[in-house]
Amino acid sequence: MKNLTPFVIFLACIGWANAQNAALEAATADEKAVRQTEMRRFELTVQKDLKALAELLGEDLTYTHSNGLLDSKEQYLATLESGKTLYQSIKSEEIKVRVLGETAVVNGLASMRVWTNGQTNDLRLRYTDVYAKRNGRWQLIAWQSTRL
């Protein structure tokens, strides 16, 4: 019986290590999925593909612009559709994703060229956004940015 104890402990450690590896792989896969969703969202915004963009935005989105204005999903998409604001380019310079279960927090740095109110603005922003995993896909539910 004494000879079995180290073997049982060894098997328990292997099981624990495998569980930890599986959890790490799942988190890494979710981090990658959120990162890809974020990059896709930037692309769709520049391309003005509002139908595809709408699918990446949660119905409960709160979008706080760097000037302090707050938009809902409906307001944000309406502004893009009207042409009042056109994102000419968005370049991600830095991005960190932290997955917390069914929620992910993204901290990033981006450079943007935005045409609004008849004027082109080159912006460099530090931002935080929040994604929620709903029906197996990640949706943006909050954006907050600050001009640098």
Side-chain angles (χ1 to χ4, degrees):
M1 188 67 136
K2 288 184 181 179
N3 291 337
L4 284 178
T5 302
F7 183 68
V8 170
I9 292 172
F10 174 73
L11 289 177
C13 288
I14 288 175
W16 179 82
N18 285 339
Q20 293 300 311
N21 284 341
L24 183 58
E25 287 175 13
T28 302
D30 278 338
E31 287 173 12
K32 184 177 180 181
V34 170
R35 183 181 302 270
Q36 288 174 337
T37 302
E38 181 85 331
M39 295 300 100
R40 180 78 175 133
R41 185 175 66 82
F42 288 163
E43 289 172 13
L44 294 172
T45 301
V46 171
Q47 295 169 358
K48 200 176 171 183
D49 186 342
L50 303 183
K51 183 177 178 181
L53 182 61
E55 293 178 14
L56 299 181
L57 306 178
E59 293 303 319
D60 53 346
L61 174 68
T62 56
Y63 195 102
T64 307
H65 297 269
S66 62
N67 63 4
L69 293 177
L70 178 66
D71 281 341
S72 65
K73 175 182 178 175
E74 183 179 291
Q75 292 167 323
Y76 179 67
L77 291 172
T79 298
L80 295 176
E81 184 174 29
S82 72
K84 180 180 176 184
T85 299
L86 296 172
Y87 288 83
Q88 297 171 332
S89 67
I90 303 174
K91 179 184 173 202
S92 177
E93 297 179 27
E94 176 184 310
I95 185 170
K96 179 182 178 186
V97 177
R98 290 175 287 153
V99 175
L100 310 163
E102 300 292 304
T103 305
V105 177
V106 178
N107 297 104
L109 180 63
S111 295
M112 302 180 180
R113 175 164 278 189
V114 183
W115 183 88
T116 186
N117 297 323
Q119 182 176 336
T120 298
N121 298 290
D122 289 312
L123 308 172
R124 193 157 183 251
L125 305 174
R126 173 82 54 198
Y127 67 89
T128 299
D129 55 12
V130 180
Y131 281 85
K133 193 172 192 178
R134 296 176 171 161
N135 300 317
R137 60 190 177 107
W138 292 97
Q139 288 188 313
L140 181 70
I141 61 170
W143 166 273
Q144 170 77 51
S145 60
T146 303
R147 290 183 193 199
L148 298 178

